[in-house]
Amino acid sequence: PFEKNNQKIQVINLKKSISSKVEKKHFLAEAEYIAKRIDLKYISSWDKKYPAYLILGRTSTHLKKIAEVLGKNLGIEVGIKEPSVYDDPEVQTIFSYIQLLNNPDSNVAYRRLIGILEKVDKQKIFEDAWVKGGFNELGQYKSIENIRKNLEEIKRIKTESEMLEKILWQIVDMLKLNKENGFLEKYIDSIKTLASIEKIVKQTENLIVDEKEQERKKIMSFPVQCLTIWGSKGLKAETVFMLGL
């Protein structure tokens, strides 16, 4: 990484060089720093299979702000992952209950449902589940008890109706999810023609893989890209900015 006359890595503390007014919106300082180091002539002729500039952050919200400032300052479009149907908390909620319907011991589904909840000690619940060998072994948490009650109600709904779309919207009502949520509507529309509720898990997993691959191809077409540190696994770039270290 380091050579005597050509330093390859630089660690910059922007907080030392910005005013207290800007410090409240630290992403502005980050974006402005990056913008000064992006060569527009360089990226205009970039034709390689990897980005000229890759900007890595911890959250998509942070990166979206960075991309907006860069786009405004430089007059370019920055590649960034668009919000996904499958990242929506309400879509994750209904999908997790369907996973539990197919496999009541699905720790992944429990983790997702508990992760969405507010005002619960998630870390404590996860640790106890680890020690006891699964969430189904926990009986002292109200959040786990509520998930089980909801699951029983979903089983009842499933036995009372044959039409899958009707079952799904009844589950939405029972869970008090937002019927006007566009992501939820899009998700139900993508699975409503399946032959049974049991086939939803496999179909959803396939849809998630397809969407990720399409999104990846789309983002890879931009010479300047914003990705989360986790989402950048396996990629390379000419220049990489890592934020929030």
Side-chain angles (χ1 to χ4, degrees):
F2 291 100
E3 295 176 9
K4 287 182 181 177
N5 301 315
N6 185 12
Q7 190 180 38
K8 297 290 185 183
I9 294 176
Q10 289 184 327
V11 181
I12 308 294
N13 185 349
L14 292 173
K15 287 185 179 179
K16 287 183 178 178
S17 60
I18 59 176
S19 67
S20 58
K21 184 179 178 182
V22 178
E23 194 166 347
K24 292 176 182 176
K25 294 185 177 179
H26 190 60
F27 72 89
L28 287 174
E30 292 173 327
E32 286 166 6
Y33 176 86
I34 293 167
K36 287 175 184 175
R37 280 149 187 83
I38 288 180
D39 185 339
L40 292 176
K41 289 182 182 176
Y42 188 52
I43 65 171
S44 66
S45 60
W46 190 260
D47 62 352
K48 297 187 180 178
K49 291 182 179 179
Y50 54 88
Y53 299 94
L54 184 59
I55 302 150
L56 306 183
R58 291 179 62 193
T59 68
S60 54
T61 305
H62 183 180
L63 289 168
K64 187 177 180 183
K65 292 176 180 177
I66 297 286
E68 285 172 358
V69 176
L70 286 178
K72 208 174 284 184
N73 286 14
L74 299 173
I76 61 171
E77 191 175 357
V78 177
I80 186 167
K81 185 178 182 292
E82 295 298 324
S84 168
V85 169
Y86 309 104
D87 292 334
D88 180 78
E90 293 195 316
V91 171
Q92 290 187 351
T93 297
I94 193 169
F95 175 54
S96 297
Y97 276 110
I98 291 167
Q99 278 184 305
L100 286 172
L101 201 60
N102 289 339
N103 176 15
D105 295 319
S106 174
N107 284 330
V108 172
Y110 269 111
R111 284 185 71 88
R112 201 182 293 113
L113 288 169
I114 292 163
I116 292 167
L117 295 175
E118 297 178 4
K119 298 178 182 177
V120 297
D121 189 346
K122 299 167 191 176
Q123 190 62 36
K124 182 73 168 66
I125 297 173
F126 292 158
E127 286 173 0
D128 284 354
W130 173 261
V131 170
K132 295 195 176 182
F135 290 91
N136 267 334
E137 303 303 316
L138 302 181
Q140 73 272 37
Y141 291 105
K142 190 175 180 180
S143 54
I144 301 290
E145 187 181 325
N146 288 339
I147 289 171
R148 289 181 186 137
K149 283 181 181 176
N150 287 338
L151 192 57
E152 290 305 311
E153 184 63 17
I154 289 170
K155 287 178 183 175
R156 183 190 64 75
I157 291 170
K158 179 176 175 278
T159 57
E160 289 184 357
S161 180
E162 292 181 2
M163 187 178 170
L164 184 56
E165 186 177 6
K166 184 179 177 182
I167 292 172
L168 292 169
W169 283 114
Q170 283 182 313
I171 294 172
V172 167
D173 280 336
M174 192 275 295
L175 294 173
K176 296 182 172 61
L177 303 178
N178 178 17
K179 282 185 173 182
E180 305 301 317
N181 181 348
F183 284 133
L184 199 55
E185 288 184 73
K186 188 175 179 181
Y187 176 59
I188 290 177
D189 195 55
S190 71
I191 57 175
K192 67 183 181 183
T193 57
L194 295 177
S196 68
I197 203 164
E198 285 75 20
K199 294 187 177 180
I200 289 176
V201 174
K202 186 65 179 173
Q203 174 71 0
T204 301
E205 288 170 350
N206 290 338
L207 289 169
I208 291 171
V209 169
D210 288 345
E211 186 186 84
K212 282 184 176 179
E213 186 57 29
Q214 288 173 17
E215 189 69 32
R216 188 181 178 92
K217 285 179 181 177
K218 178 185 169 186
I219 294 174
M220 291 305 289
S221 67
F222 292 91
V224 180
Q225 300 170 21
C226 287
L227 290 172
T228 61
I229 290 172
W230 297 276
S232 69
K233 184 179 178 182
L235 301 182
K236 67 176 180 177
E238 186 77 5
T239 300
V240 180
F241 297 94
M242 296 180 70
L243 311 179
L245 296 177

